[in-house]
Amino acid sequence: FHKLVGDDENIPTTVYSKEDAIKKLNFPIIAKPASGHSGLGIKIFKNKEDLNNIDVSKFSTYSEYVDKAEEMRFFTFKGDVIFWMERNPMNKKAKDGEGDASEQMDFAYRLRKLDTLPNDYKKVLSKFSKIYDKLPFVCFDMMKGKNGKIYVIETNTQPGVPFDSTVELYKSIYKDFYK
């Protein structure tokens, strides 16, 4: 994900080694494994000493931590948003990243109406849908920082599917295939 989108303004500054994290990022930083789900393997480091005192072999990316005001999940099909959910943190790790890497992030999902999608999210979703135009179905996990800026945190092609989100996906597939 990070290598595909590069140094885009809507991605937290990201590097790929502990050494670069120490040299190039401002603390706190968030370290993530190459694969996983539900926040498993993610760890926040508040300072250089914390990062130096841990085995980092499980981490593949290090990003500057974003103090979030809100977090969203968007399902897209061929560039169109077909489903939108607000992600409300249910534990401390989901809220502010505090906790052990082995802990899961728990969210309560709230269905949102597409016709109320704010323009700042629409603009970023449009840009990233063009980057991922070869994948018809992509899910974007996004957040708005307390600074008001929109960030894309990750993409998924196999996200959790609460509510009737798969119904919306299949409606989009049928509409596209059968016109």
Side-chain angles (χ1 to χ4, degrees):
F1 165 72
H2 289 284
K3 290 179 182 178
L4 177 64
V5 298
D7 294 331
D8 188 277
E9 66 179 322
N10 297 105
I11 302 293
T13 304
T14 300
V15 297
Y16 307 99
S17 71
K18 175 173 89 170
E19 294 75 22
D20 282 346
I22 291 168
K23 285 186 226 172
K24 298 178 180 180
L25 300 180
N26 296 315
F27 284 85
I29 63 169
I30 184 167
K32 296 181 178 183
S35 62
H37 61 87
S38 306
L40 293 172
I42 293 175
K43 177 79 177 147
I44 302 290
F45 295 97
K46 293 185 179 180
N47 55 54
K48 184 167 93 171
E49 293 73 33
D50 290 346
L51 184 56
N52 274 328
N53 293 327
I54 194 166
D55 173 21
V56 295
S57 61
K58 295 177 185 152
F59 302 121
S60 62
T61 61
Y62 304 83
S63 301
E64 288 186 356
Y65 178 79
V66 174
D67 194 9
K68 65 184 173 187
E70 61 187 26
E71 190 167 348
M72 306 292 173
R73 175 169 280 178
F74 298 96
F75 290 15
T76 64
F77 184 76
K78 292 195 168 186
D80 293 325
V81 179
I82 61 169
F83 207 80
W84 170 26
M85 295 174 288
E86 183 175 351
R87 294 167 39 122
N88 295 302
M90 293 185 58
N91 65 357
K92 192 146 178 63
K93 187 167 184 186
K95 183 176 180 169
D96 57 22
E98 293 290 327
D100 188 77
S102 65
E103 291 178 61
Q104 184 169 304
M105 292 182 176
D106 293 321
F107 293 96
Y109 289 88
R110 181 175 151 231
L111 187 59
R112 302 291 303 264
K113 294 183 179 197
L114 291 178
D115 61 355
T116 63
L117 181 58
N119 285 330
D120 51 357
Y121 280 103
K122 283 182 188 176
K123 181 180 173 185
V124 176
L125 282 160
S126 175
K127 176 171 62 169
F128 278 81
S129 290
K130 289 175 182 142
I131 294 169
Y132 282 88
D133 67 342
K134 302 292 187 249
L135 289 172
F137 174 67
V138 180
C139 175
F140 294 98
D141 287 346
M142 301 172 69
M143 65 174 63
K144 182 180 281 189
K146 288 186 178 172
N147 61 2
K149 187 173 181 176
I150 302 295
Y151 296 92
V152 178
I153 301 307
E154 68 179 12
T155 59
N156 265 296
T157 55
Q158 195 173 0
V161 288
F163 305 108
D164 60 352
S165 54
T166 53
V167 171
E168 293 305 316
L169 175 60
Y170 279 105
K171 283 167 50 178
S172 296
I173 291 169
Y174 273 71
K175 182 178 177 184
D176 179 67
F177 186 80
Y178 293 109
K179 306 292 182 245

